[in-house]
Amino acid sequence: MTLSNLYNNNQLLIKRVVRTVFFITAAWGVIWSAQFFVSGNYYYRVNNQLEAWQSKPELVTQSKVSDAITKIDSAISMFPNNALYYQMRGQLYEWQAFVSQKAAQSTAQSAAESDKMNSLKLAFTNYQQSLSLRPLWPASWIGLASVKWKLNEVDDTFYQYMNKAAQTGPQDAVVHKFIVEYGLANFSARSPEYINVIQPLKHHMKLGLANPHSREAIVQSIVRYNAEEPACRWMRLASYPVRKRIPNCITYN
């Protein structure tokens, strides 16, 4: 074989390798794009459901939650390192626990109570997985605190989770909503835990009423716990735009 033939063969081989690499890269790009589209579609569909349930919890059913979990499971199978998907699945398991709790209250079935506990544990595990991928995500820290509260495990670790959420997301609407809800629940119940949360409650109520993403939920919590008068009193030094959000709150500006 002459040097010329050897050169031509090498060139041909190089072209084949380049074409093969290009084909594989292009095929992988198509597959990745398709997975990204499908997983993104699942995410937005589930996110829309979560927002609807937060506004109207009566819309939640076991079948709807199961269907949403199946969708987010598929998204995670395609992108197993996406912290947001685990955080979302944690929320879904909390809603699954909510459905189980309603079943337990209506039928007094111990199995439903057991299902609730299992769902909360799965929610906790998913929030932990989310934080292992994105440690500074306040929503996942709030998720851990939320599960601890629902498990009646309000201890030092609970407050560590809540404080971590406030530290990582001091302006986050999710943080405002949770701390106000927890604080007002303890205020309404005259719980000793109220002492531990009174200052964060006032702080995040003020920030939450100023934040358009948490304002409505904060007002709903105030009304639900019949806390218009104390909320108005706590916000006496807040700005007029904050005070006017509280129902029946007297303002002078």
Side-chain angles (χ1 to χ4, degrees), residues 208-246:
L209 288 170
N211 188 328
H213 299 293
S214 56
R215 182 180 298 146
E216 182 178 351
I218 299 296
V219 172
Q220 288 176 352
S221 292
I222 291 172
V223 172
R224 184 165 56 253
Y225 289 105
N226 297 313
E228 292 91 340
E229 187 277 327
C232 185
R233 186 173 67 252
W234 296 332
M235 296 296 104
R236 66 184 181 278
L237 298 180
S239 65
Y240 174 77
V242 168
R243 287 172 57 84
K244 75 174 184 179
R245 303 290 176 182
I246 304 171

Side-chain angles (χ1 to χ4, degrees), residues 10-37:
N10 286 340
Q11 288 297 106
L12 181 61
L13 178 61
I14 290 173
K15 290 180 180 179
R16 288 175 177 172
V17 170
V18 170
R19 283 198 298 267
T20 301
V21 171
F22 176 79
F23 175 79
I24 293 174
T25 302
W28 173 246
V30 171
I31 294 172
W32 185 89
S33 297
Q35 289 181 330
F36 184 80
F37 174 80

Side-chain angles (χ1 to χ4, degrees), residues 30-240:
V30 171
I31 294 172
W32 185 89
S33 297
Q35 289 181 330
F36 184 80
F37 174 80
V38 172
S39 65
N41 181 263
Y42 284 152
Y43 163 77
Y44 285 110
R45 290 170 66 181
V46 172
N47 188 61
N48 289 338
Q49 284 186 299
L50 287 171
E51 290 181 352
W53 298 344
Q54 288 166 3
S55 300
K56 296 183 177 180
E58 64 272 14
L59 297 177
V60 186
T61 65
Q62 182 61 56
S63 62
K64 289 180 180 179
V65 175
S66 296
D67 180 65
I69 290 175
T70 298
K71 287 184 174 66
I72 211 65
D73 283 346
S74 297
I76 289 174
S77 69
M78 288 181 275
F79 294 96
N81 293 320
N82 190 311
L84 177 58
Y85 292 165
Y86 290 102
Q87 194 273 338
M88 180 169 281
R89 191 162 67 178
Q91 292 184 65
L92 291 172
Y93 279 121
E94 282 200 77
W95 279 111
Q96 189 175 72
F98 173 79
V99 174
S100 296
Q101 181 176 357
K102 288 199 301 182
Q105 291 173 343
S106 61
T107 62
Q109 292 181 355
S110 59
E113 182 65 23
S114 177
D115 289 341
K116 170 192 168 183
M117 300 298 285
N118 289 334
S119 294
L120 289 175
K121 290 176 182 178
L122 286 170
F124 194 86
T125 298
N126 276 274
Y127 290 134
Q128 287 181 315
Q129 181 64 35
S130 175
L131 288 168
S132 72
L133 296 167
R134 190 171 173 179
L136 300 181
W137 203 331
S140 293
W141 287 109
I142 282 296
L144 293 180
S146 176
V147 172
K148 291 277 286 183
W149 186 20
K150 291 171 182 174
L151 289 171
N152 295 317
E153 296 176 359
V154 176
D155 51 18
D156 289 343
T157 303
F158 164 85
Y159 285 106
Q160 288 172 11
Y161 293 152
M162 192 175 75
N163 292 336
K164 187 69 174 179
Q167 291 168 10
T168 56
Q171 301 296 332
D172 197 299
V174 173
V175 176
H176 302 329
K177 289 188 285 187
F178 178 82
I179 293 179
V180 169
E181 177 72 17
Y182 174 73
L184 289 179
N186 282 280
F187 172 79
S188 177
R190 293 179 172 79
S191 167
E193 295 297 330
Y194 169 69
I195 300 300
N196 296 323
V197 76
I198 178 58
Q199 294 307 320
L201 166 61
K202 294 177 180 179
H203 177 70
H204 287 279
M205 179 178 287
K206 178 180 177 180
L207 295 179
L209 288 170
N211 188 328
H213 299 293
S214 56
R215 182 180 298 146
E216 182 178 351
I218 299 296
V219 172
Q220 288 176 352
S221 292
I222 291 172
V223 172
R224 184 165 56 253
Y225 289 105
N226 297 313
E228 292 91 340
E229 187 277 327
C232 185
R233 186 173 67 252
W234 296 332
M235 296 296 104
R236 66 184 181 278
L237 298 180
S239 65
Y240 174 77

